[in-house]
Amino acid sequence: MRFYSIAVYLFLYVPIGIIILFSFNSGRHASDFQGLSLKWYGKALSNPFVLEALTSSLIIAFSAALLSSIMGTTAALALQRMKGPVKALFDGLIYVSIMIPGIVIGIATLIALVTVFDLMNPLLASLWPEGEKPLRLSLGYASVIAAHTLFTMSLVILLVRARIEGMDRSLIEASQDLYATPAQTFRLITLPQIFPAILAGFLLSFTFSFDDFIISFFVAGPNTTLPIYVFSSIRRGITPEVNAIGTMVLGVSLFLLVAVQLLLRSKNKQKTNIVASNSSGE
Amino acid sequence: MTGSKKGLWLTTALLAPTTLWFLVMLILPLVVVVIFSFGDRAPTGGYAAAFTFDQYANLASRLKAFTNTLTYAPLGTLMTLLVAYPLAYYLAVKVDERWKLLLLVLVIVPFWTSLLIRTYAWIFILGGRGIPSLLAMIGFEDVRLINTSGAVLVGMIYGYLPLMVFPIFVSLEKLDKRLLEASSDLGGSPFRTFIQVTLPLSMPGMVTGCMLVFILLMGEFLIPAFLGGGKIFFIGNALVDLFLQSRNWPFGSALAVTLVIIMLVMVTLYMRLTTGSKTERDQSVM
């Protein structure tokens, strides 16, 4: 059973390792290993299309992560105070937004936005002052960010809510007993305790958005994100450049995931510290 | 009185952005898809207002996508389960506490990295310049690995294994080890203990894992597109074709609605199977 488990870990990591290894191969193919070089990274990073796609991906992922961590946190705080059918409705929407396949979100958002834009654009043009070029709504960064945020916001809600539920209530009560205003209690007690969950939510949202292909594929309009670039270059035929880009994409998510793990671990430590220094409370 | 009013005002304000997002980015798009699915295709592509069941009547023309999806998704789920279970069991029952968290994290990490790149890795490995060219060096010419059903299945297992291991691990971890001791004290062989105690008690985790993997495989596009060549295509591939190439939105919408309905039926069955195990659902998100 131990050997089986080792085999499964090899199955999980060898393909990733192969991509990383061959991204440093100066030869062109897997069967053509000619020693280590950074040649393909140089090729990839001097390709203006790659740089443009990378910039788009970073802008989109950062915006989606920022929006989701703000909206997800406020929603989690509100939902924690609620009961009854409205809360059940929100719970339902959160699960639907997480479980619905990306491809369905992609096509639904595409046709809904294009239809709304087609209705709005003539209206905007007629309302626009004479002689100026009217604002034209179209698919682009904003639509990708909005579509990613739907999923990642729900993710943040679940993470932050789990953290609020695991929070030490006695600290909030103590704060109130000591005549802190609700705003002070939030700033000094609640926020520091839920902050690791918010940050973990931000990083996971960033990772999701940065890696997403299928939603962006439908709603990015003329823009190209890094996964879309990789997809179309694979379609055109594999070049070693793709290995280098792939390694960079994997590197970004692996780095962020390590950060999330460290955060979650420090969160546990902090919790035990509070419990230890507060032994009468437990 | 004023306090609770203020509280309500605050709650509403905190929820307003999220509500707006759900309305504009989830409910509106889904409503549009349902409306379009009863419409006609405009001559230039896109949508023409109508109320007709033509699109649904025409679904049979994409029968192959349905049969492929409904064959490969359950098969892929089953194979992922078979690969995942022994690993989850090993992690939950056998492995030393010190290594448990690290080993579990190592299973989950690949799931949070790009599926596109991970699937591409298999094109690289199975494609003509990968394993087949290595085999050719030792005399096995013309071995074909990519664009086969085997390649699609490997891609599916590879893509979603972490999602299957995690819920099974959680349910095995919660299992009371004394039950296993009791079974062996009563003379049960390890095999019998496994079949009669461990397996039934890990059922909720298996059901959750299968559900998650099945739903994701049903909507899969990348894996068949990359590893199945043109031969093995799913509903997801048909959707990409209908929305981005032939621009037949109403027919594509009908296909998407049907896909979601199949999934809803599956989720409802799942809810029936695991009534009341809310914690399982919450944990399964990671």
Side-chain angles (χ1 to χ4, degrees):
Chain A
M1 188 153 249
R2 193 167 165 183
F3 289 109
Y4 176 82
S5 301
I6 293 172
V8 177
Y9 280 102
L10 288 177
F11 172 66
L12 282 174
Y13 282 94
V14 164
I16 295 177
I18 286 179
I19 292 301
I20 296 173
L21 179 67
F22 281 98
S23 72
F24 295 107
N25 173 21
S26 55
R28 287 197 65 87
H29 312 297
S31 51
D32 177 28
F33 198 86
Q34 296 187 348
L36 301 175
S37 98
L38 289 172
K39 176 168 134 196
W40 303 114
Y41 287 89
K43 274 244 161 89
L45 290 175
S46 56
N47 179 340
F49 295 107
V50 174
L51 288 179
E52 199 191 311
L54 177 67
T55 315
S56 311
S57 279
L58 289 173
I59 292 172
I60 290 168
F62 182 79
S63 317
L66 192 64
L67 275 173
S68 340
S69 31
I70 295 169
M71 295 198 304
T73 305
T74 54
L77 287 167
L79 288 170
Q80 161 248 342
R81 305 149 59 106
M82 286 164 67
K83 285 192 186 75
V86 181
K87 183 169 189 283
L89 177 70
F90 273 95
D91 283 346
L93 288 170
I94 291 164
Y95 281 116
V96 169
S97 60
I98 286 183
M99 289 308 292
I100 202 159
I103 196 162
V104 174
I105 285 296
I107 57 167
T109 311
L110 167 75
I111 61 176
L113 290 183
V114 167
T115 307
V116 170
F117 292 164
D118 283 350
L119 291 174
M120 298 274 282
N121 280 333
L123 196 71
L124 275 175
S126 67
L127 291 175
W128 219 253
E130 279 300 309
E132 279 178 58
K133 197 168 170 277
L135 178 75
R136 245 190 94 76
L137 299 170
S138 62
L139 294 172
Y141 284 168
S143 50
V144 183
I145 294 166
H148 284 175
T149 299
L150 176 73
F151 175 89
T152 50
M153 173 183 81
S154 298
L155 195 71
V156 175
I157 294 178
L158 291 182
L159 282 170
V160 173
R161 202 159 65 176
R163 186 75 194 123
I164 293 175
E165 277 163 14
M167 218 166 69
D168 193 349
R169 293 243 129 227
S170 57
L171 289 175
I172 292 177
E173 282 158 26
S175 160
Q176 284 163 352
D177 289 347
L178 294 167
Y179 300 106
T181 63
Q184 279 175 325
T185 305
F186 176 76
R187 191 165 52 84
L188 296 170
I189 307 293
T190 313
L191 193 59
Q193 284 206 67
I194 61 173
F195 192 70
I198 301 174
L199 203 53
F202 178 90
L203 296 177
L204 284 182
S205 302
F206 191 99
T207 310
F208 169 83
S209 173
F210 191 74
D211 286 345
D212 170 72
F213 163 71
I214 196 74
I215 298 175
S216 316
F217 192 43
F218 282 106
V219 299
N223 295 296
T224 305
T225 65
L226 206 50
I228 296 177
Y229 178 83
V230 170
F231 177 82
S232 43
S233 47
I234 292 170
R235 274 287 161 96
R236 285 196 302 267
I238 296 169
T239 64
E241 204 187 324
V242 173
N243 291 338
I245 302 172
T247 302
M248 292 190 277
V249 172
L250 290 173
V252 168
S253 2
L254 290 175
F255 173 75
L256 293 176
L257 286 165
V258 169
V260 170
Q261 279 308 316
L262 292 177
L263 274 173
L264 293 178
R265 202 156 305 170
S266 76
K267 180 178 88 176
N268 289 340
K269 220 179 264 168
Q270 198 180 34
K271 197 177 170 187
T272 41
N273 284 343
I274 290 170
V275 173
S277 62
N278 202 20
S279 51
S280 60
E282 284 291 313
Chain B
M1 186 69 186
T2 46
S4 77
K5 227 180 211 169
K6 208 174 153 191
L8 185 67
W9 188 86
L10 182 65
T11 308
T12 313
L14 288 174
L15 271 179
T18 309
T19 312
L20 180 75
W21 231 264
F22 280 139
L23 279 174
V24 177
M25 298 305 297
L26 182 66
I27 297 171
L28 171 76
L30 292 181
V31 169
V32 169
V33 169
V34 173
I35 294 174
F36 277 26
S37 75
F38 293 104
D40 263 333
R41 181 176 189 264
T44 54
Y47 168 78
F51 185 78
T52 156
F53 290 93
D54 289 357
Q55 311 302 339
Y56 287 95
N58 196 22
L59 282 179
S61 69
R62 293 278 174 163
L63 192 64
K64 194 75 190 133
F66 276 99
T67 51
N68 275 338
T69 309
L70 289 171
T71 315
Y72 280 92
L75 192 62
T77 309
L78 182 69
M79 292 186 60
T80 310
L81 174 66
L82 291 177
V83 175
Y85 198 98
L87 179 66
Y89 184 85
Y90 178 75
L91 289 177
V93 181
K94 301 276 179 187
V95 93
D96 193 272
E97 281 297 328
R98 277 179 302 170
W99 301 109
K100 202 174 255 186
L101 184 69
L102 178 68
L103 288 175
L104 188 67
V105 168
L106 281 178
V107 175
I108 296 165
V109 159
F111 184 71
W112 279 98
T113 62
S114 164
L115 179 68
L116 177 78
I117 304 296
R118 285 187 297 137
T119 309
Y120 159 71
W122 285 98
I123 302 186
F124 193 71
I125 294 167
L126 300 177
R129 308 246 179 220
I131 292 178
S133 71
L134 295 177
L135 287 175
M137 285 181 194
I138 54 166
F140 296 94
E141 299 283 345
D142 288 335
V143 179
R144 208 179 148 70
L145 296 172
I146 201 160
N147 301 349
T148 60
S149 50
V152 174
L153 284 171
V154 168
M156 289 168 126
I157 298 171
Y158 187 69
Y160 296 109
L161 188 67
L163 207 56
M164 184 69 89
V165 173
F166 192 67
I168 300 176
F169 168 84
V170 170
S171 67
L172 283 170
E173 169 88 322
K174 281 189 302 197
L175 185 144
D176 190 345
K177 306 284 184 302
R178 284 173 302 181
L179 289 172
L180 303 180
E181 286 163 24
S183 169
S184 76
D185 288 351
L186 292 167
S189 66
F191 181 71
R192 247 189 104 182
T193 305
F194 178 73
I195 295 292
Q196 298 200 320
V197 183
T198 315
L199 202 58
L201 285 172
S202 58
M203 200 51 101
M206 283 161 67
V207 174
T208 303
C210 287
M211 201 63 237
L212 293 171
V213 172
F214 182 75
I215 285 185
L216 287 169
L217 288 181
M218 288 281 294
E220 192 53 58
F221 158 75
L222 268 179
I223 296 171
F226 275 5
L227 302 173
K231 286 180 291 181
I232 302 160
F233 52 92
F234 287 12
I235 297 175
N237 304 73
L239 286 173
V240 169
D241 175 47
L242 286 169
F243 279 94
L244 296 180
Q245 262 94 54
S246 49
R247 277 180 47 91
N248 192 343
W249 289 3
F251 184 50
S253 300
L255 203 60
V257 170
T258 314
L259 177 67
V260 171
I261 288 173
I262 297 175
M263 286 176 186
L264 282 180
V265 172
M266 295 295 174
V267 174
T268 316
L269 283 175
Y270 159 70
M271 294 287 188
R272 288 270 162 80
L273 276 170
T274 57
T275 32
S277 60
K278 187 178 176 301
T279 46
E280 292 279 336
R281 267 197 348 245
D282 284 348
Q283 281 155 350
S284 61
V285 174
M286 284 291 284

